Amino acid sequence: SVLLFFAAASGMWAFLERIGAHRSFDQSWIGDLLGFTLITATAGSLFTAWIGDRFGNRLPFFASVSIFIISIAMLSGSPNFAAFAGAALIMTFVVGVGLPLVVAEVAARDADNRYVVMTVPAVGLGAMIGPPLFGFLTEGGGVTVSFVACAGVAALSATLLRG
């Protein structure tokens, strides 16, 4: 679940610039937006720390995956840069929310403390797999195929967390 969630997140983040360029948005605006997305991702993690365990890990994670998928749909249909930027900032905020939640759920289920350390390589592998996978899909089938696949991978990460 950790690996898949971060593969979807890093895959989509890696292609924000390309999606924006495809829509002919100003490159300097896109560069600034990418910097702001790092701030909103951090804010999402800080928000998760603030809410703590009030709602558990799973329900807020499922909510973050749902909003992540909605933000992908918003990215795909954004008619102007403001809508595109809003969708990108929402997307990275909920990634910042979701990642600590899924790691915390692994820790909560790991009674022997043997598997929680594997979340770090899972994040790293997700970061290595997501961008090239979605890049390959974009080259082969276009941006829409990549959006659908990214949403599917995020949904699969939530499905795996249920078990």
Side-chain angles (χ1 to χ4, degrees), residues 135-155:
F136 173 76
L137 291 172
T138 300
E139 290 297 320
V143 175
T144 303
V145 171
S146 189
F147 282 138
V148 171
C150 190
V153 169

Side-chain angles (χ1 to χ4, degrees), residues 7-163:
S10 64
M12 192 50 58
W13 187 83
F15 282 91
L16 282 176
E17 186 277 331
R18 199 161 168 196
I19 296 163
H22 179 72
R23 299 260 167 76
S24 301
F25 296 141
D26 185 282
Q27 289 297 302
S28 66
W29 290 4
I30 294 171
D32 292 343
L33 174 62
L34 292 175
F36 283 116
T37 61
L38 297 175
I39 295 168
T40 56
T42 302
S45 294
L46 293 171
F47 176 76
T48 302
W50 178 70
I51 65 169
D53 195 28
R54 290 182 201 148
F55 307 104
N57 298 322
R58 290 172 23 156
L59 184 60
F61 179 69
F62 298 148
S64 70
V65 168
S66 297
I67 296 168
F68 177 76
I69 292 169
I70 291 167
S71 71
I72 291 171
M74 291 168 55
L75 280 172
S76 69
S78 54
N80 56 46
F81 185 76
F84 179 80
L89 295 172
I90 290 168
M91 181 194 75
T92 54
F93 180 82
V94 296
V95 166
V97 169
L99 187 60
L101 288 167
V102 71
V103 170
E105 184 62 20
V106 170
R109 294 182 187 192
D110 187 11
D112 296 332
N113 294 318
R114 296 182 318 162
Y115 300 110
V116 73
V117 298
M118 296 306 294
T119 60
V120 174
V123 168
L125 286 170
M128 289 186 276
I129 292 169
L133 172 65
F134 296 114
F136 173 76
L137 291 172
T138 300
E139 290 297 320
V143 175
T144 303
V145 171
S146 189
F147 282 138
V148 171
C150 190
V153 169
L156 182 58
S157 76
T159 301
L160 290 175
L161 191 67
R162 288 180 177 221

